[in-house]
Amino acid sequence: MYKRQQPYCQAKSGDAKHVGGVLVTGQDANKPVERREPNADMTTEQFKEAYRNKLYSLYAKTLEAASDKEKYLTLASLVRDEISRTWLQAKKLRAQQQENQEKQVYYFSIEFLLGRMLDIHMINLGLKDTCERGLRELGIELAQLREEEEDPGLGNGGLGRLAACYLDSMAALELNGHGCGIRYRYGLFEQQIIGGAQYEFPDDWLKYGYYPWEYRAADEAVEVRFGGAVRLQANGRIVYIHENYEAVSAVPYDIPITGYHNNTVNTLRLWSAEAELAKQACAAGQTDCRNTLQYKQSLESISHVLYPDDTYHEGKVLRLKQQYFMVSAGLQNILRDFRKMNLPYANLPDKVAVHINDTHPALAVPEMMRLLVDEAGLSWEDAWDITVRTMSYTNHTILPEAMEKWPEDLFRTLLPRIYMIVHEINERFCRELWDKYPGNWEKIRHMAIIADGYIHMAYLAIAGSHSTNGVAVLHTDILKKEVLHDFWEIYPQRFNNKTNGVTHRRWLLAANPKLASLVTETIGEAWLEDPCRLQDLTQYADDAAFQKEIAEIKRRNKQVLARIIQQKNGIAVDSDSIFDVQVKRIHAYKRQSLNVFHIMDLYQRLLEDPDLPVWPRTFIIGGKAAMGYYIAKRTIKLINSLAEVINNDKRIRDKIKLVFLANYNVSLAETIIPAADVSEQIPTASREACGTANMKFMMNGAVTLGTLDGGNIEIREAAGHSNIVTFGLTAPEVLQYYRQGGYNPWDIYHSDPRVKRMLEKLVDGSLSSDREDFRAHYDSFLHHGDQYFVLKDFAAYVAAQEIINGKYQDQKVWRRMCIHNIAHAGWFSSDRTFAEYAAEIWRLNEAAISCQDGCEQPGFSPIAKRLGTMLQ
Ligand code: F58
């Protein structure tokens, strides 16, 4: 059931090999791969001169007078110049590709969690060494300047970071792929911990502008319309006239995405809402101009902030507006480009793939229908066929509360024409269901896109696209067998799995340069473009000298993190202790509370026996809780309250420390992950679609302590069962409980004295003077059925922690485990995932396959050829 489908990472030399991260078989495998050298011919002297000149021209300052921020912006600006040069070439190539009508992929996502860009661009362009050396000679440390870059928080967590990893892989694989999203004025909030609790502050990431990494393209703005009414005009054929709407200008900002050493620059296009059109509408008398300022603010609020709190009606309206704003702008832009090819619309699916990343961009389906039917004049049937063949959709969650649905009334008022189209899609879909299940009203109501006053976005995405994929084998299996079973029954060929991946260039090469250098010294640099080559490290798993170097690098990374913890939290931690890390969104199903319970129990045992044979441990937890998510916010308070008690208790002689690192984001992750010994991946089995932090930790040599869920299962397959520690209920067991009941947390409360003691401590004032602080947790475990099985898995988790403790004490065994994890992380590179999407969902290979011998003609990129061979 959990077998990986691709032989990727298992090829034997001679019959197949990996090129640019893609498995190549057949004749092409033996051809030398053409790699273009990075534009790195600048000498250190030239760099220094260019740097001084840039600083002078930007700020009219000498080096001595410039601030760190100015020095960073000077460097970034030089790198931008290099990108611009390459981008110009890339744009010419793209124009040529368009002329040659090569297929383009557009990845629509409401989140792109990019992280800082300076380092990655320098690496990709082959400039890093020159810059670092040149700066050092000027008396400037690159590491210090890097800290000056804002980290754009345009995402919540895994979903947004995945989108950013895919952009990186698309460019590395030289695929014609582009991102489409929103340029939020404010990203996800900045988290501060005050009195142990989370406080949210605006994430003002544009405070100093984003000048080095974005290009405003005002001349390519498009109009997006909200509200108003739709009038029908019958004039031979029915025409829909949308009037009295609010018009918003969607202005694109282009962020270049560079490819690794290949002169490729792709584009992430983020749309910003501006009210320019409001002025015009006002001048033309189409709108009420009495309060234009307020009107302008209301329109511009669309791209004001990432996921406004949608607890209130206004929040919901804004969120729906954001979704439509993004897809409408994105699709208008795509069709504008497509029309330049002078092809019939029927060819659109051969030239364009639109990917819907989770349901947030699912309005792409009805918007594409509107553009094709209302604006291009196609018949419904033709438009539907084109839409379905163009769209594909990824599901990222099975949590019922996370499955998006919109109240019909709200939808109708805000998007009247789109509502009509969704209504029609639903009618036709239900008729199809009726033909298949005549008389089965219950089933049809259950599957209807519009039902009980709501519009179900996942159903819309499935019905309106040719592919629905899950993000890990288990997750896809659950989608097929449980959550979307009815849909799988009618469209089995549409369902497929694409296990997530992460870019090894950011998460290993850039984040852990010492480890990356060691890997390169040991096995050569082929792994950078072909991450599967990491498996060549397995032969060194027992090599004492290699083990020692691995351990030394980990120790140094831990020292760096220890310094940060001291600075940020004022807590001294021992870098020889086990760094046990859980960093991710705070959510009940991810079970930070299980981690807390183990720490409470260990603390108690140490109080009872300070000589307990446990290796010293530093527990590090980080993550943001959604603003309106009460119990998650209380979990942060719980962690900090416990930390306060433990870190100040001399009796346990510093054997354990607990640290909550505030404002977890991509940059912080890049420091934390290389320093981790233990990677905590402990969600309730079946609830975590895949997880991606697990892969980043693995790549950096941490050992996973996890449940058999999502990507953990595949990590166990890849790394080997003895190189990961698993525990707890399995997904089938959990699903069985959800279906049939039979779990009573009180049984555990009464049978396990440790559990009883801990639960009592939540409400007896031991952790907080306000006994009500953690009442919600107490109630959720005992009075609300412990729906994430924290108590149920507690004993198994403690036992698994004992195994970790035991294995760590034998350093030879532990280092071996670390090396096996690194060596088998190649399969979890997003290059592999993306190649699968390209070949199996977007069918980029078809261009190559269909060209047969003609592949040599200009316009077919080498990757298309490689993908073409992948499926043979
Ligand atoms: C995550 N989803 C899944 N959602 O939880 C994780 O298992 C998976 O690995 C990852 O997607 C990538 O496939 C996720 O990050 C969100 O951040 C939601 C976005 C919408 C608002 C609520 C959070």
Side-chain angles (χ1 to χ4, degrees):
M1 167 187 176
Y2 300 128
K3 253 188 113 37
R4 284 178 271 134
Q5 296 142 346
Q6 292 281 341
Y8 194 94
C9 284
Q10 287 166 20
K12 291 191 195 71
S13 54
D15 58 344
K17 70 177 182 180
H18 295 90
V19 181
V22 175
L23 179 70
V24 177
T25 54
Q27 279 187 332
D28 269 15
N30 295 319
K31 278 196 195 155
V33 188
E34 288 168 47
R35 300 302 304 172
R36 273 167 280 154
E37 278 310 306
N39 192 0
D41 44 10
M42 191 192 292
T43 65
T44 311
E45 284 311 312
Q46 285 167 335
F47 168 79
K48 286 196 307 196
E49 194 188 332
Y51 187 83
R52 280 207 198 85
N53 288 342
K54 188 58 116 183
L55 181 70
Y56 179 69
S57 77
L58 282 178
Y59 301 107
K61 279 188 180 173
T62 60
L63 265 182
E64 295 67 35
S67 67
D68 277 355
K69 180 68 80 193
E70 287 163 342
K71 288 180 194 159
Y72 154 70
L73 285 168
T74 302
L75 176 61
S77 195
L78 276 180
V79 174
R80 175 185 162 115
D81 290 348
E82 282 303 310
I83 295 174
S84 297
R85 253 192 290 280
T86 318
W87 208 4
L88 199 64
Q89 294 304 318
K91 279 181 182 165
K92 279 192 196 142
L93 183 69
R94 177 148 184 248
Q96 189 195 348
Q97 284 165 353
Q98 267 174 351
E99 228 168 78
N100 290 318
Q101 303 173 351
E102 205 172 311
K103 190 164 183 176
Q104 309 284 320
V105 176
Y106 296 87
Y107 196 83
F108 278 40
S109 178
I110 202 92
E111 300 187 4
F112 284 93
L113 205 41
L114 290 176
R116 289 176 175 150
M117 299 307 285
L118 175 65
D119 226 29
I120 284 296
H121 285 315
M122 286 191 302
I123 290 173
N124 286 343
L125 298 172
L127 291 172
K128 190 167 172 189
D129 289 346
T130 313
C131 292
E132 194 157 21
R133 212 175 313 118
L135 287 171
R136 188 157 298 143
E137 287 178 19
L138 292 172
I140 303 167
E141 275 311 309
L142 174 60
Q144 202 175 328
L145 297 198
R146 249 185 329 229
E147 292 303 307
E148 294 297 324
E149 181 175 351
E150 293 291 324
D151 183 341
L154 309 186
N156 279 276
L159 176 150
R161 184 51 233 173
L162 186 79
C165 282
Y166 287 169
L167 291 180
D168 183 84
S169 289
M170 277 202 259
L173 295 176
E174 298 173 40
L175 291 173
N176 310 314
H178 319 279
C180 173
I182 296 180
R183 182 181 183 266
Y184 301 102
R185 173 64 189 82
Y186 294 93
L188 187 64
F189 62 86
E190 181 191 319
Q191 179 194 56
Q192 289 189 22
I193 302 299
I194 302 173
Q198 167 177 296
Y199 283 78
E200 300 97 9
F201 293 87
D203 169 32
D204 194 4
W205 70 288
L206 288 172
K207 198 168 29 199
Y208 300 100
Y210 198 52
Y211 158 75
W213 314 132
E214 71 179 4
Y215 298 65
R216 183 179 152 97
D219 54 334
E220 295 187 47
V222 295
E223 179 186 304
V224 180
R225 300 169 177 182
F226 295 98
V230 178
R231 184 163 53 83
L232 265 64
Q233 209 178 53
N235 201 352
R237 105 182 243 279
I238 293 175
V239 179
Y240 296 88
I241 301 180
H242 190 182
E243 45 194 18
N244 298 325
Y245 50 81
E246 283 181 1
V248 186
S249 283
V251 179
Y253 285 73
D254 289 343
I255 298 183
I257 306 293
T258 49
Y260 179 70
H261 289 196
N262 63 7
N263 287 345
T264 299
V265 185
N266 284 346
T267 305
L268 165 60
R269 180 157 269 201
L270 298 182
W271 298 91
S272 174
E274 296 186 8
E276 187 50 37
L277 292 162
K279 269 198 246 157
Q280 292 169 17
C282 173
Q286 286 166 343
T287 182
D288 178 359
C289 303
R290 273 166 301 180
N291 199 343
T292 36
L293 186 63
Q294 201 180 5
Y295 185 56
K296 179 171 153 53
Q297 278 169 352
S298 125
L299 294 182
E300 295 189 342
S301 70
I302 292 173
S303 56
H304 194 63
V305 64
L306 169 75
Y307 287 133
D309 189 344
D310 70 356
T311 329
Y312 304 104
H313 180 73
E314 289 73 17
K316 284 203 174 73
V317 173
L318 208 48
R319 202 155 147 172
L320 185 55
K321 271 190 175 177
Q322 288 184 335
Q323 298 186 353
Y324 181 66
F325 172 74
M326 178 182 86
V327 300
S328 178
L331 290 179
Q332 289 186 56
N333 184 48
I334 289 170
L335 290 185
R336 182 171 54 193
D337 275 357
F338 176 75
R339 280 191 288 269
K340 291 185 196 145
M341 294 189 201
N342 288 319
L343 287 173
Y345 281 102
N347 287 19
L348 186 73
D350 304 326
K351 303 299 163 205
V352 169
V354 173
H355 198 78
I356 301 174
N357 189 34
D358 214 42
T359 49
H360 320 117
L363 288 173
V365 171
E367 175 65 359
M368 182 67 109
M369 288 299 289
R370 183 187 75 78
L371 291 168
L372 294 178
V373 173
D374 293 5
E375 301 207 350
L378 268 63
S379 71
W380 180 277
E381 289 72 18
D382 287 348
W384 184 247
D385 174 63
I386 292 168
T387 300
V388 171
R389 288 198 292 128
T390 305
M391 304 282 162
S392 48
Y393 155 64
T394 299
N395 172 290
H396 293 268
T397 186
I398 64 156
L399 293 188
E401 66 271 24
M403 291 284 203
E404 267 196 318
K405 47 187 188 173
W406 292 110
E408 228 179 316
D409 291 346
L410 164 68
F411 198 102
R412 190 188 300 122
T413 312
L414 198 62
L415 306 169
R417 176 62 186 134
I418 294 297
Y419 175 76
M420 291 166 81
I421 292 172
V422 173
H423 204 274
E424 182 66 23
I425 293 173
N426 184 50
E427 287 281 319
R428 291 174 184 243
F429 179 60
C430 289
R431 244 176 275 148
E432 191 184 325
L433 293 177
W434 179 262
D435 290 343
K436 198 157 175 62
Y437 307 112
N440 193 344
W441 283 112
E442 191 44 39
K443 187 156 195 131
I444 294 170
R445 194 177 69 89
H446 180 67
M447 295 177 74
I449 295 165
I450 305 179
D452 303 328
Y454 284 94
I455 299 176
H456 293 258
M457 301 304 275
Y459 302 170
L460 176 63
I462 299 168
S465 63
H466 65 275
S467 167
T468 293
N469 74 282
V471 290
V473 175
L474 173 70
H475 171 228
T476 303
D477 223 48
I478 295 175
L479 290 180
K480 286 184 193 168
K481 291 193 180 137
E482 307 259 336
V483 182
L484 298 174
H485 178 72
D486 292 337
F487 287 84
W488 174 70
E489 262 183 353
I490 53 165
Y491 302 131
Q493 73 292 351
R494 289 190 187 182
F495 282 75
N496 63 90
N497 178 59
K498 297 285 167 280
T499 298
N500 285 340
V502 299
T503 165
H504 59 291
R505 284 168 294 271
R506 180 178 284 270
W507 294 106
L508 178 46
L509 179 62
N512 200 343
K514 293 188 193 81
L515 180 58
S517 300
L518 175 64
V519 171
T520 301
E521 278 161 30
T522 313
I523 58 167
E525 57 182 16
W527 67 276
L528 291 166
E529 291 179 52
D530 174 6
C532 287
R533 288 278 50 88
L534 284 171
Q535 68 194 13
D536 296 347
L537 289 173
T538 44
Q539 56 188 302
Y540 300 95
D542 294 305
D543 179 308
F546 188 69
Q547 281 203 351
K548 196 164 158 240
E549 288 187 86
I550 287 278
E552 180 53 26
I553 288 168
K554 184 65 81 180
R555 206 171 66 85
R556 284 170 48 192
N557 290 340
K558 285 162 76 174
Q559 284 166 347
V560 172
L561 181 57
R563 274 199 295 281
I564 288 174
I565 292 173
Q566 177 73 61
Q567 274 163 17
K568 287 187 185 264
N569 294 45
I571 302 171
V573 303
D574 173 7
S575 25
D576 288 326
S577 63
I578 300 175
F579 276 24
D580 177 316
V581 184
Q582 188 178 23
V583 280
K584 46 185 79 260
R585 285 184 291 134
I586 309 290
H587 201 291
Y589 86 83
K590 294 182 187 272
R591 301 200 296 190
Q592 281 87 0
S593 53
L594 182 58
N595 193 350
V596 165
F597 278 178
H598 165 250
I599 301 169
M600 284 172 80
D601 179 60
L602 185 57
Y603 171 55
Q604 192 61 40
R605 282 188 283 144
L606 279 167
L607 284 180
E608 285 158 13
D609 175 8
D611 295 321
L612 200 70
V614 293
W615 194 279
R617 243 213 250 183
T618 301
F619 294 97
I620 297 163
I621 303 179
K624 294 179 182 175
M627 259 189 256
Y629 189 178
Y630 177 73
I631 201 145
K633 290 176 89 169
R634 286 283 97 180
T635 301
I636 293 177
K637 179 91 204 282
L638 174 61
I639 296 163
N640 283 306
S641 302
L642 182 62
E644 190 68 20
V645 172
I646 289 180
N647 298 340
N648 295 310
D649 192 334
K650 297 270 173 289
R651 292 171 298 174
I652 57 167
R653 301 185 211 141
D654 289 340
K655 275 248 170 112
I656 55 174
K657 287 278 167 76
L658 172 55
V659 176
F660 184 86
L661 274 172
N663 206 34
Y664 179 64
N665 59 11
V666 176
S667 305
L668 198 51
E670 285 165 3
T671 309
I672 296 175
I673 293 172
D677 294 307
V678 178
S679 155
E680 296 271 357
Q681 308 299 336
I682 56 175
T684 313
S686 79
R687 304 289 93 178
E688 187 70 274
C690 180
T692 41
N694 44 7
M695 300 167 183
K696 296 166 197 161
F697 280 103
M698 176 193 195
M699 216 167 250
N700 282 276
V703 172
T704 305
L705 168 55
T707 42
L708 285 171
D709 198 17
N712 296 353
I713 294 172
E714 288 160 74
I715 286 179
R716 185 173 73 152
E717 287 303 300
H721 288 220
S722 55
N723 297 314
I724 142 168
V725 178
T726 57
F727 71 96
L729 291 175
T730 62
E733 286 166 343
V734 169
L735 295 171
Q736 176 82 356
Y737 277 127
Y738 281 141
R739 265 192 306 266
Q740 296 186 350
Y743 165 51
N744 183 356
W746 285 102
D747 293 343
I748 297 182
Y749 177 85
H750 290 303
S751 63
D752 189 337
R754 298 171 300 180
V755 170
K756 180 163 193 243
R757 187 172 58 198
M758 278 178 323
L759 287 173
E760 296 311 330
K761 281 203 182 304
L762 290 183
V763 289
D764 70 0
S766 311
L767 294 173
S768 166
S769 52
D770 184 346
R771 287 164 188 240
E772 293 310 301
D773 263 357
F774 310 120
R775 173 75 58 191
H777 283 91
Y778 182 89
D779 288 346
S780 78
F781 296 129
L782 288 176
H783 298 300
H784 305 143
D786 184 18
Q787 56 166 318
Y788 294 111
F789 302 90
V790 175
L791 307 189
K792 182 86 180 154
D793 272 348
F794 174 73
Y797 181 54
V798 173
Q801 284 285 15
E802 289 297 310
I803 295 175
I804 291 280
N805 182 51
K807 287 196 188 268
Y808 195 84
Q809 311 220 8
D810 185 342
Q811 279 288 294
K812 256 169 122 177
V813 169
W814 186 264
R815 290 170 189 173
R816 184 172 199 282
M817 290 168 78
C818 297
I819 296 167
H820 272 290
N821 273 284
I822 302 166
H824 293 101
W827 196 76
F828 299 100
S829 164
S830 42
D831 288 5
R832 183 270 310 159
T833 317
F834 222 72
E836 287 178 8
Y837 274 92
E840 295 163 12
I841 297 182
W842 306 319
R843 305 269 169 195
L844 295 193
N845 55 309
E846 266 171 16
I849 287 170
S850 65
C851 79
Q852 303 280 340
D853 297 335
C855 283
E856 296 312 321
Q857 62 184 279
F860 287 105
S861 70
I863 188 69
K865 281 184 256 172
R866 286 183 236 154
L867 290 169
T869 56
M870 186 174 169
L871 293 188
Q872 285 170 5

